[in-house]
């Protein structure tokens, strides 16, 4: 029997799950364009290690129900982002392991997704697995990347002499209140 060639960029999810197949691989980080857009300028995405991934298909038949199509997807990546404190590159390890359930139409997917913990997607003829991996990795990126301890703290801004003079000239509002309060006692 001829073994079926599986293309992760055009994955036939239904056949993959029916066969209980599994697949693993890696992609250069530069092929995940949206993640590459988040790269620190000093750390080009071409220097990042490749994104590692594995996928396994499964067909489940619940008691008294129709067969369900499932994929278990895992990915692991290392991204160089810009630290929001010192503005230097910081490495972020991003990884996920998720189950995805596939259903026949968008309305059922929306209804089930709202009520369940797993992700529910609409079954398509060909799934671009790289796009799904990138979507999930983007969700795992830190909102505010930063070092635990920055290698070089930012220098404190110098105070402008004009700003210091303005501060000295501004009257203290509590001093005016104290003066008013003092006037009430002498009368």
């Amino acid at each position: 029997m001829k073994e079926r060639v599986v293309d992760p960029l055009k994955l036939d999810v239904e056949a993959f799950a029916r066969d209980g197949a599994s697949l693993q691989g890696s992609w250069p980080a530069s092929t995940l364009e949206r993640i590459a857009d988040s790269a620190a300028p000093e750390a080009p995405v071409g220097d990042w290690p490749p994104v590692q991934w594995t996928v396994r298909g499964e067909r489940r038949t619940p008691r008294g129900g129709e067969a369900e199509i499932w994929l278990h997807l895992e990915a692991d990546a290392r991204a160089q982002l810009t630290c929001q404190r010192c503005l230097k590159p910081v490495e972020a390890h991003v990884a996920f392991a998720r189950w995805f359930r596939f259903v026949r139409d968008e309305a059922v997917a929306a209804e089930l997704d709202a009520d369940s913990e797993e992700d529910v997607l609409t079954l398509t003829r060909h799934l671009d697995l790289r796009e799904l991996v990138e979507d999930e990795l983007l969700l795992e990126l830190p909102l505010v990347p930063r070092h635990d301890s920055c290698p070089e703290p930012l220098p404190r801004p110098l105070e402008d002499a004009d700003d210091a003079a303005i501060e000295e000239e501004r009257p203290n509002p509590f001093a005016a209140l104290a003066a008013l309060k003092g006037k009430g006692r002498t009368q």
Side-chain angles (χ1 to χ4, degrees), residues 4-12 23 53 126-129:
R4 185 184 325 217
V5 176
V6 178
D7 181 358
L9 304 180
K10 294 180 181 175
L11 185 66
D12 181 345
L23 194 60
W53 57 269
H126 297 290
L127 174 71
D128 184 342
L129 197 59

Side-chain angles (χ1 to χ4, degrees), residues 26-97:
S26 64
W27 291 305
S30 60
T31 62
L32 282 70
E33 293 175 5
R34 293 175 292 156
I35 289 181
D37 288 344
S38 64
E42 305 87 351
V45 73
D47 297 341
W48 295 6
V51 175
Q52 304 293 324
W53 57 269
T54 62
V55 65
R56 184 180 74 225
E58 191 175 297
R59 189 173 174 162
R60 301 177 188 170
T61 307
R63 190 177 301 198
E66 71 178 65
E68 299 174 346
I69 298 166
W70 291 81
L71 283 184
H72 185 259
L73 181 61
E74 295 181 37
D76 190 289
R78 298 207 177 268
Q80 294 288 327
L81 308 172
T82 301
C83 174
Q84 297 301 297
R85 283 190 270 207
C86 69
L87 304 177
K88 302 286 183 203
V90 60
E91 183 174 282
H93 176 241
V94 288
F96 70 89

Side-chain angles (χ1 to χ4, degrees), residues 108-127:
V108 173
E111 181 182 326
L112 290 174
D113 196 33
D115 296 335
S116 63
E117 289 186 26
E118 69 271 345
D119 291 310
V120 182
L121 302 174
T122 304
L123 187 63
T124 60
R125 178 75 177 131
H126 297 290
L127 174 71

